[in-house]
Amino acid sequence: MTSPPARIPFEQWDRRYADLLAQGLHEPPYGGPLRRHLQAGDDRLAQLCYDNSPAALRLWNFLLTEGDRLRQARASGDLIVGTMKDLGTVPVMVYAMDHAVAFYPDGAWWTPCMMHASTCDLALAAAAGLDESFCPVRAMAGAFLSGRQFPRPDLLVCSAGATCDDFSAIAARLETLGYPIFWWEICARRHPEAAQGKPSEGEEAVALPGGGTAPRSQVQFVAGELERVRAQLESAAGQTLDDAVLARGIQAANEIRRRLAEICRLAFGSKICPLPALEMLIAQMLAIHFCSDRAQTLEVLTELLVEIRRRIAAGQGVLPPDAVRIYWVNPVADLRAMNLLEDCGGRLCGNDLMFAHATDEIPEDVPPLEALARCALADPMVGPADDRAARICREARALHAQAVIVSRIAGASHCAFEGGVISRRVGADLALPVLEIEVPSVSDALAPSLRTRIEALIETARRGAERSRT
Amino acid sequence: MSGRVLYSSPFVPPEWIEAHGQSPVRVLSLPTVAGAGVCPIAAGFAQAAGGGDDTIVVTTTCDQMRRASETIDGAGRVFLMNVPALWDNPASRQLYRRELLRLGRFLIGRGGRSPDPNSLIRTMIEHEDRRASQRAFLPVAPGAARVALVGGPLRLGDEWIVQMLESRGACLALDATETGQRTLPTPFDRARLDVDPVGELVRAYFDTIPDAFRRPLSMLHQYLSCALNQRGIQAIVLIRGIWCDLWHSQLSWLRQCGRPVAEVDLGGSASGAGCDAARIRTRIEALLEAIQ
């Protein structure tokens, strides 16, 4: 099982899997060859490149069997909560309870990529009035209507207020189609008011995970909203979700977040690249709702971490040592873009996938709902784009990024203006080249253009590095 | 500082601004050419409001508008007001009230003054009296097709759409756009005004203005169902900025209302001219042919 680390195309995984079995590979119940997911309809898998480790195989198998786990949960009578939009906060509350799972129907936004637009539920979404002018997350509506991706949740909880209009519109449309939603309000994060001549009258600033601040009043407001969510969850589950139970849930979530932080520290910070960008993206996604199994998430991440450490100790990476270090902003609707970055000579050295608040540790020294409120307010999407840009700059600097790619999402309301704000800030603070691209769900038609632009960026970054050296 | 306060959202009470000794100016977006994915209404507002040293109040009622506020030059003169989405949540209502008070403090910091209750009440009554005429529906000519405009704001110069309707023998029997009657606050309760004028602002604005950003949507849908029936509407024009998902997503619901609907998007080109206008004209003409 100690083959040299490599990125391998899909067709090589059959052989690799057979070799691993012959070498005594032990798999969890959701294990198996990748090909079965292709046969089940995840067409895009055939066009991707993968890390060749058993840890990566387990990661993919875990990701691609979430629907099975949700159906098992339904069969077992567990409470299934569809949490929408907040990306990372409400699931911590749900998993604190017994016999309850949370998942993000939002995650269906990758089905147009994985299953190709022609075979997924987009037609159903379009028939419901959510046409191609909307963000790919409209696939979520199709998934609800078809019932093919996941079982109908027992409860839907969605944040409203400082959210993307496209998502909010799609969720509201779902509600009119007969899927009741429990809404909770997330306010637009702002900076605490300064005192006007009287220092004692300034607003109290509360530190948020990730380094920002918010006024105490906003933290209290969001904590109050999460109190309403708590009451709703208790009612749906018939259980008490008191502070002690919540605190244990936060501790468990933090254990996962710490594990992920270590993976990111090593994968992004090492001289060699121990894990490809695509697997890093998937690993990070696990943090938001634990892929419907919190305990397994920890095991999957632990195995990845062991593999990463082993590779670093052996000095074995998956990319050439001179790969250009790229900081990537926003998740990509087409997973293949992560492969493309590496094919062009780049290497992921950090990213902001819109859910930094789901990977930062949740405070454990304040009451649990306040801690979760701080976490929700740290969401980069509920605050000013300039705050987000400032964090991107901090991380890109610390990770020695040589260039930044801002990947826009077609039809997403936040992308219209934030790209410019981020580009200007990165240019001003770091003097790094920045590339803005738009990646559709299936980017094959644009691949030549994307490749050219990414290659040009990497070339520019290389020249910049050479100039710095001389 | 000019003393002028520019805003566009109907959830910003002009009487609150005026009571702080400032001059409220509701700004319509300029028709503007915006980039791919960029809402021309938001970009047009940023363009119309940018420059100078006017105070600018932007709300969170629209994600693109919220984010466009960051592109306006002049840090310190832009106020982003949280207008909560949940209309049936007491905490959200309280938040709106606190935001009004925060806006007041901001205006004082920009050279305004703290309003005494009597002057606030007087200003509120004056504005209410001025709004009375806007509540009256336009007379409908006998035999004219009764059309409703529903949707987001009209921009400066978009009046030609109404003129075109009228020139084709139809009449605007309901203006439920953001710049129309839909967003007028409910009349103040004079008895409550004396007790808690700020609370009355909250009731008149936050409690009653229906909009596509508010959750749940039942408030908007109840308003539209009622207004469309009361006004005997025969056809609906859904009007929105291109890329406006909030209003675009209302199309399916409107189509279930039993009347023909034409959706027109306000693109990036100048009002009344170019292919945008031709497209809008054709759609509306087809709608009118269907009912006449």
Side-chain angles (χ1 to χ4, degrees), chain A residues 145-167:
Chain A
L145 293 168
S146 76
R148 285 193 287 256
Q149 307 288 324
F150 44 74
R152 182 173 176 147
D154 300 300
L155 173 65
L156 281 173
V157 178
C158 184
S159 58
T163 62
C164 307
D165 283 346
D166 44 282
F167 188 89

Side-chain angles (χ1 to χ4, degrees), chain A residues 131 165-166 185 188 193 385 413, chain B residues 63 70 85-86 92 105 245 248:
Chain A
D131 61 26
D165 283 346
D166 44 282
E185 184 100 37
E193 266 182 284
S413 62
Chain B
D63 193 33
E70 286 191 69
L86 306 192
S92 297
R105 291 194 295 275
D245 293 330
H248 184 35

Side-chain angles (χ1 to χ4, degrees), chain A residues 185 187 221, chain B residues 82 84 91-100:
Chain A
E185 184 100 37
C187 49
F221 172 79
Chain B
N82 254 303
S92 297
R93 191 175 191 275
Q94 275 300 313
L95 176 59
Y96 180 78
R97 182 183 178 116
R98 286 199 302 275
E99 286 294 282
L100 282 181

Side-chain angles (χ1 to χ4, degrees), chain A residues 57-374:
Chain A
L57 174 66
R58 182 176 182 176
L59 174 72
W60 280 103
N61 275 328
F62 184 53
L63 174 79
L64 297 170
T65 53
E66 184 175 18
D68 298 340
R69 278 191 292 286
L70 288 170
R71 280 182 277 275
Q72 280 169 10
R74 167 58 36 84
S76 306
D78 291 351
L79 178 74
I80 300 178
V81 182
T83 51
M84 298 156 76
K85 193 60 213 155
D86 68 292
L87 296 182
T89 303
V90 174
V92 176
M93 302 172 74
V94 175
Y95 282 99
M97 300 191 295
D98 295 325
H99 304 294
V101 293
F103 77 104
Y104 279 95
D106 321 24
W109 91 300
W110 265 330
T111 56
C113 161
M114 295 299 282
M115 308 183 92
H116 280 166
S118 59
T119 55
C120 75
D121 297 327
L122 287 182
L124 287 172
L130 304 168
D131 61 26
E132 62 278 2
S133 71
F134 286 85
C135 166
V137 79
R138 72 194 177 100
M140 172 182 78
F144 270 98
L145 293 168
S146 76
R148 285 193 287 256
Q149 307 288 324
F150 44 74
R152 182 173 176 147
D154 300 300
L155 173 65
L156 281 173
V157 178
C158 184
S159 58
T163 62
C164 307
D165 283 346
D166 44 282
F167 188 89
S168 188
I170 292 165
R173 177 71 184 131
L174 261 184
E175 191 173 39
T176 64
L177 290 170
Y179 297 87
I181 291 174
F182 180 83
W183 300 95
W184 64 281
E185 184 100 37
I186 180 75
C187 49
R189 187 184 71 240
R190 60 179 173 81
H191 299 154
E193 266 182 284
Q196 291 175 355
K198 296 179 185 172
S200 60
E201 289 182 6
E203 278 188 301
E204 183 189 351
V206 175
L208 303 179
T213 61
R216 167 70 65 191
S217 61
Q218 287 201 321
V219 175
Q220 288 169 336
F221 172 79
V222 177
E225 287 300 281
L226 293 176
E227 186 70 73
R228 292 200 305 119
V229 174
R230 167 155 71 177
Q232 192 69 20
L233 291 175
E234 286 181 329
S235 170
Q239 297 176 40
T240 302
L241 185 55
D242 59 26
D243 279 3
V245 175
L246 267 179
R248 285 196 294 277
I250 288 173
Q251 286 164 7
N254 275 343
E255 191 177 3
I256 288 170
R257 292 177 185 211
R258 281 191 292 271
R259 199 67 39 96
L260 185 59
E262 182 63 2
I263 287 173
C264 291
R265 189 183 71 79
L266 293 174
F268 294 151
S270 300
K271 281 189 177 170
I272 61 146
C273 178
L275 197 67
L278 182 53
E279 278 73 15
M280 280 303 298
L281 172 72
I282 304 299
Q284 289 172 283
M285 296 297 295
L286 299 189
I288 61 173
H289 74 277
F290 317 127
C291 213
S292 300
D293 188 330
R294 193 176 60 186
Q296 274 301 310
T297 291
L298 188 61
E299 289 193 25
V300 168
L301 293 179
T302 301
E303 193 174 331
L304 268 182
L305 181 57
V306 168
E307 179 66 22
I308 288 170
R309 283 179 172 150
R310 191 187 65 75
R311 291 176 175 185
I312 291 172
Q316 294 177 319
V318 292
L319 296 174
D322 66 342
V324 170
R325 300 175 65 82
I326 304 290
Y327 189 99
W328 192 285
V329 180
N330 288 334
V332 281
D334 187 352
L335 296 173
R336 201 175 178 193
M338 293 288 91
N339 286 163
L340 182 61
L341 169 70
E342 293 170 338
D343 294 344
C344 293
R347 167 198 172 173
L348 192 66
C349 78
N351 55 15
D352 176 330
L353 301 176
M354 295 168 44
F355 55 80
H357 61 299
T359 56
D360 293 327
E361 276 194 60
I362 307 164
E364 293 186 28
D365 56 350
V366 296
L369 281 185
E370 179 180 334
L372 290 169
R374 292 189 192 194

